Amino acid sequence: SGFEPSKYKEIAAKSYSKSTELSPNSLFTIMRSSGYFAESGNVEKSTEMLLNGMNKSGGSVSGLYSSMGYILRYAGFMDESIGVYKKSLVLDNTDLTKQTRLIQMGKSYIYQKQYSDAINIFNSAVERINNHRKPIPDEKFDQAMPYIYLKQYDKASIHLKDVIQNNDEGTWVLISKAYLSLINGDIEEGRKAINSLMKIGITDSEMKYRLAHFYIMLNDENNALKSLEEAVDGGFFCYSYIENDPLTSIIHSHPKFKQIVEKAKLRHELYEQRFGDEIRFLLGTS
């Protein structure tokens, strides 16, 4: 994203496809490629690859579970996502690994409206990560989101400003600027950040979903619905969260919103039919 996004998205697609063609059973290739394919829309292919890797490794590789936890959140399997992350920590419980995976788990807690749990996880994890390295922008950003949902904007602003002031320009800086400006009523600055994000050309469908939040804050219903549909079509079909997200409640009665939710629900159900039993077997809950 950013510099010549179309050109480099094409290079990335060819490179990942070639790597999986040359080494379909390489665990490193599977872990790296699965995230790419999920973020670019093919969550089902990512899941297939990870299940193949888990079967070939006898379920002994922590990173495969961690990658699966990430993909399951896109598919709307929050309980299973949390369970898979917990299982990954049984295999690798070193402090830095644990904290970075707890942050990913915390996102599922937000999607389940467990905001206090998410706050505790994010704040504790970032504090511990500081003992090892500088937290990356999205780790800092995550601390703000539960406070936004709780409408505790003063606390959210602390974390958003931290991202903006302590990092160079980048996607998460722009996302932080957009949220910060819009929750504080600075529409002009919010639009600038959103326009910059649109120029970058976001590929990650979960990240695209945030544009729906921004357009809602701008009272732009049409673009909110458009962004939401693009996120769902792009592979973020976490339908129970989308259906009940308080930050988009203003469009929940719109016929187009209901169509988009039904689209997400259908893909979620097809995913459940295809992978649900095997995923639960991995977790020991089948």
Side-chain angles (χ1 to χ4, degrees):
S1 64
F3 181 70
E4 296 187 81
S6 297
K7 172 184 174 181
Y8 287 104
K9 284 195 301 196
E10 183 179 353
I11 291 172
K14 288 180 179 177
S15 299
Y16 277 113
S17 296
K18 188 67 174 178
S19 71
T20 54
E21 177 188 327
L22 292 171
S23 302
N25 298 317
S26 161
L27 299 185
F28 180 78
T29 296
I30 289 169
M31 283 187 282
R32 296 287 294 180
S33 301
S34 63
Y36 167 78
F37 287 117
E39 290 180 359
S40 56
N42 202 337
V43 176
E44 292 81 2
K45 180 172 183 176
S46 297
T47 306
E48 227 173 38
M49 293 171 65
L50 288 165
L51 289 171
N52 172 50
M54 288 174 170
N55 289 328
K56 291 189 180 302
S57 66
S60 62
V61 179
S62 172
L64 291 171
Y65 283 96
S66 176
S67 298
M68 180 66 85
Y70 184 81
I71 272 71
L72 289 174
R73 192 173 69 242
Y74 279 62
F77 283 64
M78 268 83 75
D79 287 337
E80 290 83 356
S81 175
I82 292 167
V84 170
Y85 273 117
K86 287 180 177 177
K87 192 148 188 173
S88 78
L89 293 176
V90 173
L91 297 169
D92 182 355
N93 200 32
T94 54
D95 191 49
L96 182 57
T97 297
K98 179 179 180 179
Q99 305 312 321
T100 55
R101 291 179 186 171
L102 285 173
I103 283 179
Q104 291 296 325
M105 287 169 57
K107 295 180 183 180
S108 290
Y109 285 118
I110 289 179
Y111 292 178
Q112 294 175 318
K113 299 183 181 180
Q114 298 181 45
Y115 305 125
S116 294
D117 289 335
I119 287 169
N120 291 335
I121 286 174
F122 290 147
N123 291 348
S124 174
V126 170
E127 183 180 348
R128 294 292 293 272
I129 287 169
N130 260 314
N131 295 331
H132 301 274
R133 58 165 170 77
K134 178 184 175 182
I136 58 177
D138 57 315
E139 291 169 343
K140 288 278 194 176
F141 167 81
D142 288 332
Q143 291 179 281
M145 278 312 296
Y147 291 120
I148 292 174
Y149 275 101
L150 292 168
K151 298 184 178 180
Q152 296 178 13
Y153 298 143
D154 54 337
K155 293 180 179 178
S157 295
I158 292 170
H159 298 296
L160 295 172
K161 288 176 181 176
D162 189 353
V163 176
I164 295 164
Q165 293 167 1
N166 293 297
N167 295 280
D168 296 330
E169 285 291 316
T171 306
W172 286 107
V173 173
L174 290 170
I175 287 173
S176 297
K177 283 183 177 179
Y179 275 114
L180 181 63
S181 300
L182 294 173
I183 64 177
N184 289 324
D186 191 340
I187 302 301
E188 185 178 348
E189 284 302 310
R191 284 191 188 278
K192 283 182 183 177
I194 294 164
N195 289 338
S196 295
L197 283 167
M198 297 303 289
K199 288 177 184 176
I200 284 175
I202 299 172
T203 301
D204 181 348
S205 55
E206 186 179 28
M207 194 180 289
K208 275 184 181 178
Y209 181 83
R210 301 191 182 283
L211 292 169
H213 287 172
F214 301 150
Y215 286 120
I216 291 290
M217 293 178 187
L218 291 170
N219 294 315
D220 186 343
E221 192 176 83
N222 288 335
N223 273 320
L225 290 163
K226 180 183 176 183
S227 298
L228 176 59
E229 187 162 33
E230 286 178 356
V232 170
D233 290 346
F236 185 65
F237 50 99
C238 186
Y239 99 91
S240 60
Y241 165 61
I242 295 169
E243 184 177 37
N244 297 291
D245 182 359
L247 296 184
T248 62
S249 60
I250 196 170
I251 60 171
H252 287 186
S253 60
H254 196 289
K256 181 65 175 177
F257 177 82
K258 295 180 185 296
Q259 290 174 11
I260 296 168
V261 169
E262 281 303 309
K263 189 190 297 189
K265 183 178 180 182
L266 175 60
R267 191 165 172 188
H268 170 89
E269 289 174 345
L270 291 172
Y271 185 95
E272 158 69 36
Q273 292 172 17
R274 185 173 173 186
F275 300 113
D277 288 344
E278 191 168 0
I279 288 166
R280 284 185 286 274
F281 177 77
L282 283 170
L283 289 170
T285 57
S286 59

